[in-house]
Amino acid sequence: FPVTIEAATIDGREEETDAEFRSRYKERGAFGGSSLNAIQTFLNSLESVINATVYENTDLTIDVDGLPGNSIEAVIYGGTDEEIADVFLNLKPAGIETYGNHTVNVTDNKGINREFCYTIPTAKNIYVIVNITKNPLWPALGSDEDVNLRETIKENIVKAIGGSYTRNGSTKSYKTRGSNIVIYPWQLAACQYGVDEIKTEKVNGIANQEILIDTISNPTLSETIIIGKREYAYVDESMITVNVS
């Protein structure tokens, strides 16, 4: 049964800001609280980082993905060398090596030069054709409303995959879902009905839709796309075609 407490709260604190969160994690790392999860969480809290995924190899030998033993690999899309090096400096566990295709140097508070590596992932371009079978709610073909719905479909797909969307000279960037994922055609179809998690808009007037997807232009198949550990998916409005009949 419901209970109402009318007395004022005692102590407590205001909601933590992003800046306070980052400061707390840095302090935690400096005192031995660092972990793989902390590094990944902190990297993804940086505004300039689009996505970061951290992998580790706790064995003593190289793993199947080429990651050396007793090391971590942070695959980071976005961010600056200075920010990323600062995360490693404060949070990387002692005795663990960093691995990647990019190297950055930073001086610690004792004046010692530290070298860290991380991986800048390769973009995997995604091309999409959406074939819409409309119902009576779809506006007249060629009307402004028709054009707007087609553009909404394109932007929804960019939100679902990650990339950039430009219209009327204004460009919006949407975060990628990261590395080591699978993109399914049904996800791109589902996003047209409104998905709160990625804030897509519901598109009315769709009776049925076919999603063709590939890593080359003019896709002809409705297949899944695998994004590797050192890749990220990218799409923009020019890579999406919407047909309505």
Side-chain angles (χ1 to χ4, degrees):
F1 56 91
V3 175
T4 301
I5 301 175
E6 297 181 350
T9 58
I10 300 174
D11 296 325
R13 57 155 294 163
E14 297 293 330
E15 182 178 357
E16 186 175 47
T17 66
D18 288 344
E20 290 170 335
F21 166 77
R22 291 192 289 268
S23 177
R24 177 167 60 83
Y25 253 120
K26 288 172 68 175
E27 291 172 0
R28 182 185 178 198
F31 290 95
S34 57
S35 68
L36 190 74
N37 183 61
I39 294 173
Q40 180 170 290
T41 300
F42 189 87
L43 285 168
N44 281 302
S45 78
L46 299 173
E47 291 183 5
S48 61
V49 170
I50 306 301
N51 186 273
T53 305
V54 183
Y55 305 101
E56 68 176 334
N57 180 7
T58 58
D59 293 332
L60 298 179
T61 57
I62 297 176
D63 68 13
V64 294
D65 296 310
L67 184 58
N70 199 35
S71 70
I72 61 173
E73 179 183 14
V75 180
I76 308 170
Y77 174 33
T80 66
D81 281 351
E82 182 180 5
E83 290 176 314
I84 294 167
D86 191 50
V87 173
F88 285 134
L89 187 63
N90 287 279
L91 296 178
K92 184 188 74 68
I96 302 298
E97 297 297 322
T98 58
Y99 175 81
N101 60 19
H102 186 76
T103 302
V104 58
N105 292 276
V106 63
T107 303
D108 65 16
N109 57 9
K110 295 183 179 179
I112 301 174
N113 181 68
R114 305 290 185 183
E115 181 179 279
F116 301 107
C117 299
Y118 67 93
T119 292
I120 300 174
T122 302
K124 194 165 195 174
N125 292 334
I126 308 298
Y127 296 86
V128 182
I129 293 177
V130 184
N131 293 320
I132 298 288
T133 301
K134 62 183 178 66
N135 67 27
L137 293 179
W138 192 278
L141 299 182
S143 66
D144 289 344
E145 292 82 0
D146 171 53
V147 172
N148 288 336
L149 282 185
R150 293 172 192 251
E151 289 300 318
T152 297
I153 288 171
K154 289 183 179 182
E155 187 170 7
N156 282 344
I157 289 175
V158 175
K159 289 178 180 179
I161 294 176
S164 61
Y165 173 78
T166 301
R167 189 179 185 190
N168 299 326
S170 177
T171 300
K172 302 175 185 177
S173 295
Y174 294 104
K175 282 200 170 190
T176 176
R177 289 170 51 206
S179 304
N180 198 30
I181 63 168
V182 178
I183 298 174
Y184 297 94
W186 66 261
Q187 294 171 327
L188 306 186
C191 76
Q192 307 305 336
Y193 299 104
V195 178
D196 290 341
E197 184 181 354
I198 55 176
K199 296 180 173 60
T200 61
E201 293 186 38
K202 182 179 180 179
V203 178
N204 293 315
I206 297 177
N208 191 30
Q209 54 183 317
E210 177 189 39
I211 305 293
L212 306 178
I213 182 173
D214 207 335
T215 56
I216 57 175
S217 59
N218 300 315
T220 59
L221 300 174
S222 182
E223 296 188 337
T224 58
I225 302 295
I226 297 174
I227 308 301
K229 285 188 173 182
R230 299 180 177 105
E231 298 177 322
Y232 68 91
Y234 177 85
V235 67
D236 63 42
E237 77 288 343
S238 71
M239 301 155 70
I240 305 168
T241 300
V242 178
N243 301 314
V244 181
S245 61

